[in-house]
Amino acid sequence: MLRSASARGTVGPVRAREPVRSGYAVRCGVRLYYEVFGDGPVTVLLLPTWAIVHSRTWKLQVPYLARHFRVVTYDPRGNGRSDRPSDPDGYADAELVADALAVLDETGTDRAVCIGLSMGGRVLLQLAAARPERVAGAVFVAPAMRMDLGLPVPARWVHPFEEELDSSEGWAKYNVHHWRRDLGDFAEFFFREVFAEPHSTKQVDDAVGWALQTDPETLAATHRAPFLGDGSGRTEPTVSDLAARVRCPALVIHGSVDRIVDHRTGLALAEALGCPVEVFDGGGHCVHARHPVRFNLLVRQFGEAVAGARA
Amino acid sequence: MRAREPDDTGYAVVDGVRTYYEVFGTGPTTLLMMGTFPVVDGRQWKGQVPYLARHFRVVTWDSRGNGASDRPAGPDAYADEVYARDAAAVLDATGTDAAFVVALCSGIKWSLLMATAEPKRVRGLVAIAPGVHPLAPHPHPLQTVDQQQWCGDFAGWVDYHSDVLLPEPHTSKVFEDLVGWSLQTDAEVIAARTHAPLRPATEDAAIEMSRALTCPVLVLHGSEDNCQPPERGRRFAELTGGRFVVLDGVGHLPHGRHPVLVNTLIREFVDMHTTRSPQRSAWLFARERKRRALWVCSPIGLGHVLRDLAIARSLRERVPDLEIEWLAQPPVSGVLRANGEIIHPASAELASESAHWESEATNHDLHAFYAFRRMDEILCANYMLFDDVVRETPYDLWVGDEAWEVDHFLHENPERKIAPYAFLTDVTGFLPIDPDNDPREAELCADYNSEIIEHLDRFPYVRDRSMFIGDFAELPDAPLGPGLPRVREWSERIYSSVPYVVPFDPAAYRRPAALRRRLGYGTGYPLYVAAVGGTAVGRDLLELTAEAFALVREDQPDARMVMVTGPRLHVDELPDVEGMEKRGYVPELFEHLACADVAVVQGGLSTTMELVAARRPFVYFPLANHWEQQHFVAYRLDHYRAGVRMQYAATRPPDLAAAMVAAQRSRPAYRAVRRGGAAKAADQLATLLRR
């Protein structure tokens, strides 16, 4: 019963902190809903991750960080109050990088300390490499990157996504037909994997609730989109190439028992960036939600170090 | 003794004037600890060096005019620009391309001038009380050494000047250090520096130079600084874009009076600006952590460790999943290791307290209070190590058995407490040895006591448990100082009493004859055993005892003596006496003392109390100027009606021989030692570890 889906939708209407400003950045007709909290010379941009959740995934960060920084969040295309294009190309990494820049522009933010979670870490790497003048510092949280590390194929890629399967057990739930039948069932399973730690029921309930704010077809489009290292044979830089172009201070944070992105990925990225890495021993994929105090303190420390650093 | 010796020393030479430098530690990042106005030398950083050198390479130097550097004549030799060249020459001489600079007062100007000349050499600047004088006027300029009233009275000026720089209470040791360093130079040098050409000379130049500084800057400034107005610090921070930290209630020398805070800020600042090197740190999800305690055990004598082992064993019975790590140094760490305990690897980096005590002791005389006071640098270095250790590993409990450094600095910096903390002791105050002839000692003891009283009253949450080892009736009823409570009354308020912890079952020693047979001594003759514990302090006492034993043999020809010299004294260093066997080390020393007809020992608490528990006759010699042995131990033994107390200086061999023979014929009627001390202490600790 602890993890019964009946507990979904427990996200209350009252937030710990309301935005001082909200609105939409519009790119090629796609509206991106953003929120701005707090005030101050240093902005922290909390990037969205996979559209299975939206900006409320940062709900335990925003109230704290906004007391120390100006904080900007936005919903990814595909969830929350942002639009949901149907074409998979609309969810390509290049679009997601451009979305981040559009939100920075729309909120009048020249530079920001950017935090990228999971897929958002992949977007952040490309953003920081392409537009170094906009990124004052980069924090990669459980970054989802394809690197040549000889790691096992992630479980979510094991079963064919487009084919009707005999089974809907375990990672076989990561399948478009199953999503169409019962997206909530997949989300429930997925977030239990995300939150590998015991006593994570509230985090799972929250995330499942956000997942149900999008729809199977939109989520399938995000799955079908091209991304860095997808093996499509396009000519593109490697993670190491991009890391070498990052000039800002960086930090990697990764849980040691992450079942979605092996934490060796985070270690390898930190090495490529030449930056410190903070391992949350016993932590899963979303340490920001499960271990918010430690996470928040690290981000504040990092943000202040970046703000205090002079050329 | 210093807490850490330099790895390299030498001189940098500018225009024929030599500047002495010292280098500590290694690593890619160098910290240059700037010289300053020559009332001090490089030792002003003694609270910083041992800590910083564990993390960085650290270079200190003596400003010309003081320390081991030359003392040229005339104001021009002490110009700001000259000092800046000295600093650069020290960097050259030590093969340092660039460094983070930590500077105080005038040292900030020299750092600015050096950075102006060679911007790349200064990677960052920690500016403590920056003395960039044109940035703000001084409301009450200090008196200079050549003012009328100080003419011919350099020592008077030094007292005045040192006093003005240290407005904080409980600053007597920093003051004494400062006076000592100032008296290493003279009025001519200080006057020459006072009238030296100053740079930057104008406000415009100071503004321009400060703005041009490109490195990161951290400014620390005491609100009560009488030497440099805090406005100078604020303005310097503003102009350099640096971080400005006001230290409220603090004077001109925060690094001396508040070393923990300053050390932490320096380290954070340097770390923040050197983070490009990859490093991995880990934080363990709280529910996955093992239950773990860090035990800090005082290395003075072996008494603490034996009782700590007994308490730790009882604690493990109550909390079976508890893992205990010990922060301890020789000889204590050796005992722990022999008992299968885990020594925290950082223990190897502890500055040696035992070596300090030995360096302070001569002729069975150790002025324990002054020696303790002079251990300030070692205590600070060892606290900083503790502070690092408890931040690297999350502990569920800290135990400090007379861990004075931990206790003092936690109360000075209560925000550093991040775990339950229990403090154990068998001595609860400083009592002067000779208040009639040494009023300063009495004054200082009272000052130390009042500081501890204030600490415990103001921050009751720092110690979660305070345990006095023994009954309160064993405490002397002496005052802690004028206007202060008495030892016993205050201790009853602060501490809970735990029966004296005897590290063995006294019943096992009730039949000495059996023990003598087991140890191969046999029976039927008077057996004397003399031992002095783990240090070389007792050599004089052993020599006296050997002579006395020769006299005992005249009276008792069949008497034998076993003399245990301990690991730090070689047996050959003592005379040979008929019937006396010399042994360097015996395992289970106490068994040998317990089967003696008479034991001859020092006035240390553990050994004497073990003899009380085993009900053996003994003669003991408290160290002459040892406040604990003369007051606390003597009082406690009197309470138990045990032991014959003798003073080394007043004892000739025939006196001791007579006392030994008399003791051999006596029947001890000691008060019984209450039992269960270890279990009671463990009960209290266990409540901090589980419900």
Side-chain angles (χ1 to χ4, degrees), chain B residues 10-181:
Chain B
Y11 291 91
V13 184
V14 171
D15 300 336
V17 175
R18 296 179 318 156
T19 291
Y20 175 75
Y21 65 78
E22 296 186 336
V23 184
F24 304 82
T26 55
T29 303
T30 298
L31 269 55
L32 178 68
M33 313 302 284
M34 267 286 174
T36 189
F37 192 73
V39 287
V40 297
D41 61 24
R43 291 278 289 149
Q44 68 156 323
W45 303 111
K46 69 178 201 173
Q48 283 66 55
V49 166
Y51 172 69
L52 295 175
R54 289 197 296 108
H55 302 284
F56 312 105
R57 179 171 175 264
V58 178
V59 178
T60 66
W61 52 282
D62 295 349
S63 313
R64 53 170 67 196
N66 202 318
S69 293
D70 287 346
R71 289 152 174 69
D76 288 346
Y78 296 95
D80 283 328
E81 282 170 339
V82 173
Y83 273 120
R85 287 171 60 208
D86 285 347
V90 168
L91 288 181
D92 292 340
T94 55
T96 313
D97 292 337
F100 284 86
V101 176
V102 180
L104 170 79
C105 192
S106 339
I108 281 80
K109 293 194 288 186
W110 310 344
S111 311
L112 263 184
L113 292 164
M114 188 169 79
T116 305
E118 298 178 278
K120 291 218 165 86
R121 287 206 110 160
V122 182
R123 296 174 67 187
L125 173 63
V126 179
I128 305 172
V132 186
H133 61 280
L135 289 183
H138 202 310
H140 310 288
L142 302 191
Q143 298 169 20
T144 59
V145 72
D146 50 0
Q147 260 171 249
Q148 186 69 41
Q149 77 248 53
W150 302 119
C151 192
D153 184 13
F154 181 59
W157 178 82
V158 165
D159 266 358
Y160 149 77
H161 183 252
S162 306
D163 188 57
V164 163
L165 299 193
L166 289 162
E168 299 101 320
H170 307 302
T171 329
S172 63
K173 184 60 167 69
V174 189
F175 174 84
E176 209 171 276
D177 285 352
L178 182 55
V179 168
W181 293 322

Side-chain angles (χ1 to χ4, degrees), chain B residues 249-276:
Chain B
V250 172
H252 186 58
L253 305 173
H255 60 308
R257 181 60 180 82
H258 309 282
V260 174
L261 172 73
V262 171
N263 291 350
T264 316
L265 287 170
I266 293 172
R267 168 134 186 245
E268 273 173 16
F269 175 79
V270 177
D271 278 349
M272 185 186 288
H273 296 288
T274 47
T275 48
R276 277 309 274 194

Side-chain angles (χ1 to χ4, degrees), chain A residues 1-11 59 187-188 191-192 195 200-212:
Chain A
M1 285 305 285
L2 271 179
R3 289 189 170 184
S4 157
S6 66
R8 282 172 207 164
T10 57
V11 186
K59 68 179 198 173
E188 181 90 24
F191 285 111
R192 284 186 197 175
F195 293 103
S200 306
T201 54
K202 183 60 167 68
Q203 288 81 354
V204 172
D205 285 352
D206 280 358
V208 170
W210 297 323
L212 293 177

Side-chain angles (χ1 to χ4, degrees), chain B residues 360-509:
Chain B
E360 293 275 347
T362 51
N363 289 327
H364 202 64
D365 185 357
L366 171 66
H367 203 300
F369 174 72
Y370 285 127
F372 178 80
R373 179 171 161 79
R374 281 191 288 269
M375 202 161 68
D376 57 333
E377 179 181 346
I378 290 173
L379 292 177
C380 181
N382 288 348
Y383 171 77
M384 292 306 304
L385 184 73
F386 168 85
D387 192 281
D388 273 359
V389 165
V390 298
R391 275 158 185 76
E392 279 154 18
T393 308
Y395 292 98
D396 299 284
L397 174 64
W398 303 336
V399 183
D401 188 347
E402 297 194 10
W404 299 105
E405 74 283 33
V406 172
D407 203 61
H408 174 76
F409 285 110
L410 282 180
H411 283 94
E412 285 283 283
N413 306 269
E415 67 280 2
R416 307 301 290 175
K417 173 187 154 84
I418 51 171
Y421 163 57
F423 182 76
L424 288 69
T425 185
D426 53 57
V427 51
T428 58
F430 295 97
L431 298 179
I433 287 293
D434 190 8
D436 296 332
N437 295 309
D438 186 357
R440 175 148 173 83
E441 184 204 12
E443 193 191 328
L444 290 172
C445 283
D447 180 59
Y448 276 38
N449 289 335
S450 71
E451 184 175 35
I452 294 174
I453 292 168
E454 285 168 23
H455 274 161
L456 289 164
D457 281 349
R458 175 62 186 84
F459 300 107
Y461 62 85
V462 168
R463 290 186 191 170
D464 296 277
R465 293 287 182 277
S466 288
M467 284 181 250
F468 171 67
I469 307 293
D471 294 337
F472 292 124
E474 295 166 37
L475 280 170
D477 194 26
L480 286 162
L484 298 177
R486 304 178 83 78
V487 173
R488 197 182 298 166
E489 151 204 2
W490 179 73
S491 302
E492 280 174 340
R493 186 155 62 78
I494 296 296
Y495 289 92
S496 61
S497 153
V498 166
Y500 190 83
V501 180
V502 182
F504 54 78
D505 178 3
Y509 294 93

Side-chain angles (χ1 to χ4, degrees), chain B residues 147-425:
Chain B
Q147 260 171 249
Q148 186 69 41
Q149 77 248 53
W150 302 119
C151 192
D153 184 13
F154 181 59
W157 178 82
V158 165
D159 266 358
Y160 149 77
H161 183 252
S162 306
D163 188 57
V164 163
L165 299 193
L166 289 162
E168 299 101 320
H170 307 302
T171 329
S172 63
K173 184 60 167 69
V174 189
F175 174 84
E176 209 171 276
D177 285 352
L178 182 55
V179 168
W181 293 322
S182 299
L183 293 176
Q184 291 174 166
T185 187
D186 55 33
E188 284 68 38
V189 165
I190 298 303
R193 165 60 197 169
T194 303
H195 300 291
L198 303 182
R199 293 288 181 279
T202 64
E203 188 179 358
D204 285 348
I207 291 172
E208 189 188 338
M209 215 175 264
S210 304
R211 281 204 178 125
L213 193 65
T214 53
C215 66
V217 173
L218 169 66
V219 178
L220 310 180
H221 214 130
S223 65
E224 307 306 311
D225 189 336
N226 295 315
C227 179
Q228 296 298 338
E231 174 61 12
R232 288 185 186 165
R234 192 200 61 75
R235 201 144 177 240
F236 183 67
E238 188 180 277
L239 290 165
T240 56
R243 179 178 170 211
F244 183 48
V245 179
V246 182
L247 308 175
D248 268 326
V250 172
H252 186 58
L253 305 173
H255 60 308
R257 181 60 180 82
H258 309 282
V260 174
L261 172 73
V262 171
N263 291 350
T264 316
L265 287 170
I266 293 172
R267 168 134 186 245
E268 273 173 16
F269 175 79
V270 177
D271 278 349
M272 185 186 288
H273 296 288
T274 47
T275 48
R276 277 309 274 194
S277 64
Q279 45 185 267
R280 179 176 170 178
S281 49
W283 174 83
L284 180 61
F285 188 4
R287 73 188 299 278
E288 306 209 348
R289 294 176 197 174
K290 283 185 205 159
R291 222 182 283 269
R292 196 179 269 156
L294 183 68
W295 205 301
V296 186
C297 181
S298 163
I300 307 308
L302 292 177
H304 304 111
V305 66
L306 294 177
R307 77 171 169 227
D308 289 345
L309 277 168
I311 297 170
R313 276 193 278 269
S314 290
L315 181 58
R316 285 197 191 96
E317 286 167 15
R318 289 157 176 75
V319 188
D321 63 339
L322 180 67
E323 223 172 61
I324 298 174
E325 293 171 10
W326 300 79
L327 196 60
Q329 53 180 282
V332 160
S333 47
V335 175
L336 291 168
R337 218 171 260 125
N339 280 274
E341 297 288 338
I342 301 168
I343 312 288
H344 192 290
S347 299
E349 295 183 57
L350 286 164
S352 175
E353 287 188 34
S354 300
H356 172 80
W357 289 102
E358 272 177 32
S359 75
E360 293 275 347
T362 51
N363 289 327
H364 202 64
D365 185 357
L366 171 66
H367 203 300
F369 174 72
Y370 285 127
F372 178 80
R373 179 171 161 79
R374 281 191 288 269
M375 202 161 68
D376 57 333
E377 179 181 346
I378 290 173
L379 292 177
C380 181
N382 288 348
Y383 171 77
M384 292 306 304
L385 184 73
F386 168 85
D387 192 281
D388 273 359
V389 165
V390 298
R391 275 158 185 76
E392 279 154 18
T393 308
Y395 292 98
D396 299 284
L397 174 64
W398 303 336
V399 183
D401 188 347
E402 297 194 10
W404 299 105
E405 74 283 33
V406 172
D407 203 61
H408 174 76
F409 285 110
L410 282 180
H411 283 94
E412 285 283 283
N413 306 269
E415 67 280 2
R416 307 301 290 175
K417 173 187 154 84
I418 51 171
Y421 163 57
F423 182 76
L424 288 69
T425 185

Side-chain angles (χ1 to χ4, degrees), chain B residues 567-584:
Chain B
R568 287 168 183 265
L569 258 187
H570 197 271
V571 290
D572 293 342
E573 295 178 61
L574 289 164
D576 287 310
V577 176
E578 188 73 28
M580 186 177 92
E581 179 193 357
K582 296 181 290 183
R583 301 179 69 172

